[in-house]
Amino acid sequence: PGSGGSWSALLTPALNYFQEASVLYDLLEQVPGLASYLVGIDVANVETALPNFVFYPAMSLLRGAWRPGAGRTTRQSLGLTFHAGEDFFDLVSALREIDTLLESFRFHEGDRIGHGFALGVNPDWWRLRYGPTTVSLENDVLNRLWEWKLLREGILAPEGAIQRESD
C-alpha cells in the first residue's frame, strides 16, 4: 500500500472513516430533509500515502443512505468525487486505481474523478520522461491481475498488453 507501509496499518484509518460516516448516516436518518442539502462527498487524499480503497467502506455506507423513494431517484443519490490518478509513481498503477474506483462504485450522473491526470498522460511520453519505474511487489501483482482481467474481458488486446522493463 502506498509507498511501502503494511496493509494492517490501513485498517485504523479505514475504521475511523467508517465511524465518521456512520455518524453522518445516522444524522441523515434522523434529520428530515438533510439529504436534500448534502448532495455529495469529496474524498481528497494523497494516494501514494493512503490508497482510495481505505475510504470504500465509509463511502459505500453513505451511498446507501441515499436510497430511492420518498421522491428520490437513483440519479439523486449521493454524488461522489474521488481524487484518483493524480498522485502516482507509475502510470499503470494510477490507471488501475481509476478503473477500480469506477467499478467499485458504479459511477453515475453526479459522480466524478477529481483531476485524473493519469488519463491524459501519453504512455510513450511517460516512458521517455521517466524511464523504467520501480513498482512495489504488491502493486506489480495488482497491476498484472488488472491487466489479465482487461485481457479476459476483451478490453485490452494481447498485442496491446502493457510492456514492462522486467518482461
Side-chain angles (χ1 to χ4, degrees), residues 47 82-99 113-126 130 146:
E47 292 173 85
F82 271 91
H83 290 259
E86 63 182 62
D87 294 322
F88 51 92
F89 297 117
D90 69 287
L91 188 56
V92 176
S93 295
L95 295 171
R96 175 181 47 80
E97 181 68 26
I98 292 169
D99 185 58
I113 297 293
H115 298 113
F117 296 133
L119 294 171
V121 174
N122 180 307
D124 293 329
W125 174 87
W126 178 269
Y130 295 103
W146 177 64

Side-chain angles (χ1 to χ4, degrees), residues 51-64:
N52 276 323
F53 71 78
V54 169
F55 299 95
Y56 288 8
M59 295 303 106
S60 293
L61 174 70
L62 291 176
R63 181 80 113 187

Side-chain angles (χ1 to χ4, degrees), residues 33-66:
L34 181 58
S36 298
Y37 295 98
L38 183 61
V39 296
I41 300 283
D42 188 341
V43 178
N45 65 302
V46 179
E47 292 173 85
T48 55
L50 191 65
N52 276 323
F53 71 78
V54 169
F55 299 95
Y56 288 8
M59 295 303 106
S60 293
L61 174 70
L62 291 176
R63 181 80 113 187
W66 276 258

